[in-house]
Amino acid sequence: MRIADAQWIPSTQHQTWDALTDPRVLQKCIPGCVEVAMRSATEYAITLRAKIAGIDTDYEGEILMSDVNAPDSCTLVFEGKGRAACLAIGTAQINLSTKDQGTRVAYTVAGMAGGKLAECGEGLLLKAGEKIIEKFFAAFIDHMAAQPRIAPPPPPPEPEPRGLSNSRWSWALVVLVIAVFWGYHSFYK
């Protein structure tokens, strides 16, 4: 199963990134989400209650972030296991960019199912996956539209340049040393 699309989010890129990595926002916006717990800066545990292809069950899973380039992109690897011998695994490539006073979130999701879910067929799973993503983005866009816009954080300060070219006293010291050597060699030699 493969799903690729993009959504426009009515908030700045850094706010969108922060919200997409906030477990409270994810729990609020993911359809059927019971809990999202952040285990580390790049690892989340998730519990979902979903009905897919007539199979209503709880799924326990993990989401791992890699290739993180905040606030521009990341890769997600996910795995979920259901009580009814169901399995879902996959990856998602997420790219954020500033567009029209908001943020464009482009994504490509590739997933596979095992157990009873796999018996439903790829077409049905594709429709279910698209519906879950559609519901997530509808809730996420509503959430972000209700948030006040915050200006992006200032870029980190430039490091102070070092070396002789940046200090007039350094150059004065060099001229003084040259004058002393020149004077010593001129008058005493």
Side-chain angles (χ1 to χ4, degrees):
M1 172 179 82
R2 182 179 161 95
I3 302 170
D5 203 354
Q7 298 287 332
W8 182 82
I9 311 299
S11 66
T12 62
Q13 185 172 334
H14 77 282
Q15 282 181 283
T16 302
W17 175 269
D18 290 346
L20 285 172
T21 56
D22 184 338
R24 292 171 299 192
V25 174
L26 293 175
Q27 185 170 337
K28 176 182 174 182
C29 297
I30 295 172
C33 187
V34 176
E35 180 183 22
V36 176
M38 187 176 218
R39 291 184 178 163
S40 73
T42 58
E43 184 179 3
Y44 299 84
I46 187 166
T47 304
L48 298 174
R49 185 164 294 127
K51 185 174 187 175
I52 300 174
I55 301 171
D56 191 6
T57 190
D58 288 349
Y59 294 88
E60 303 283 330
E62 291 183 331
I63 300 172
L64 302 172
M65 294 173 62
S66 64
D67 304 325
V68 177
N69 182 19
D72 299 318
S73 64
C74 71
T75 299
L76 304 176
V77 177
F78 58 89
E79 175 186 73
K81 295 177 184 173
R83 292 185 185 157
C86 300
L87 172 69
I89 59 172
T91 62
Q93 177 62 46
I94 312 293
N95 293 296
L96 284 75
S97 57
T98 300
K99 181 177 181 179
D100 299 331
Q101 304 297 316
T103 303
R104 180 180 188 267
V105 177
Y107 56 90
T108 301
V109 180
M112 294 177 24
K116 290 183 180 179
L117 276 179
E119 295 172 7
C120 298
E122 188 172 328
L124 192 57
L125 291 176
L126 184 61
K127 286 181 183 179
E130 288 172 341
K131 188 175 182 180
I132 289 169
I133 291 171
E134 180 182 305
K135 285 182 177 182
F136 168 78
F137 275 110
F140 187 73
I141 289 168
D142 288 346
H143 172 79
M144 296 309 291
Q147 304 303 311
R149 283 188 174 252
I150 300 172
E158 292 288 325
E160 286 192 30
R162 300 184 145 234
L164 292 176
S165 64
N166 297 314
S167 171
R168 62 180 173 206
W169 295 111
S170 297
W171 282 106
L173 183 61
V174 169
V175 170
L176 180 63
V177 169
I178 291 172
V180 168
F181 279 122
W182 179 76
Y184 175 79
H185 287 292
S186 297
F187 296 112
Y188 295 109
K189 292 262 177 176

